[in-house]
Amino acid sequence: MRCSLLALPLLLTACAGEEAVLVVEPEAIDWGEVDFQTTTPMYGHDPRQVDLINNGVEDLNIWLPSYDHQRLCLEGYEHEEGVIELPTLSPGSRAVLKIGVCGYLTGDTWSEVGSLVEGRIHLINDGADPVEMLRYSFTPVRDQGGDTGH
């Protein structure tokens, strides 16, 4: 019990201060249909910009514990394994993530072609709300075109 009583003042002190606040814009990305008949560009199909903004008054540290490497490309972090630590954001500043669609799951018994793929990227931070989620969705297609004659 003594340990708990000693921790309470520290907890109250930490909660009393002003904090960093992570804002993710947009909160979700919907790529719609993504045609994989064409070669996948280096940073994925239709890369989108996601702004990470510190709307608080303290510095903000952000980590991506993981993201779906099979389906998504994250520009600048292509070969990162494990937890990715983003640059510290000072109050009022922003970081930009560029995310593209790189692939989909295929196999003998299951293929995602023509199916809606949905997921989330977790953004862990040391601000007021320690977990933010960026939702994403897309439908992989292989459009070979209807007119193959001349």
Side-chain angles (χ1 to χ4, degrees):
M1 193 66 153
R2 181 179 177 155
C3 220
S4 299
L5 292 175
L6 291 175
L8 185 58
L10 292 174
L11 181 61
L12 291 175
T13 302
C15 292
E18 306 246 350
E19 296 184 68
V21 177
L22 176 61
V23 175
V24 179
E25 292 179 354
E27 295 178 2
I29 302 173
D30 178 13
W31 279 278
E33 287 189 348
V34 177
D35 186 4
F36 283 93
Q37 190 63 30
T38 61
T39 303
T40 300
M42 180 179 212
Y43 297 117
H45 295 278
D46 194 14
R48 304 284 179 92
Q49 178 173 312
V50 176
D51 292 328
L52 307 176
I53 305 162
N54 180 356
N55 271 356
V57 296
E58 294 288 329
D59 284 352
L60 181 65
N61 297 297
I62 306 168
W63 301 269
L64 278 77
S66 66
Y67 70 96
D68 190 340
H69 293 271
Q70 291 182 303
R71 294 182 181 105
L72 302 178
C73 291
L74 186 58
E75 187 176 327
Y77 299 97
E78 298 83 23
H79 305 291
E80 297 277 337
E81 293 295 324
V83 176
I84 297 172
E85 185 172 352
L86 300 176
T88 299
L89 294 179
S90 59
S93 66
R94 74 179 58 223
V96 174
L97 293 178
K98 290 189 180 176
I99 304 169
V101 178
C102 290
Y104 59 94
L105 300 182
T106 61
D108 295 334
T109 58
W110 171 251
S111 174
E112 291 178 333
V113 171
S115 300
L116 179 65
V117 175
E118 297 178 294
R120 292 183 205 117
I121 297 175
H122 294 85
L123 299 158
I124 309 299
N125 68 86
D126 58 0
D129 188 3
V131 180
E132 288 290 331
M133 304 229 195
L134 172 64
R135 297 179 321 276
Y136 65 87
S137 62
F138 66 95
T139 302
V141 297
R142 296 191 68 83
D143 184 5
Q144 298 180 4
D147 184 10
T148 57
H150 293 281

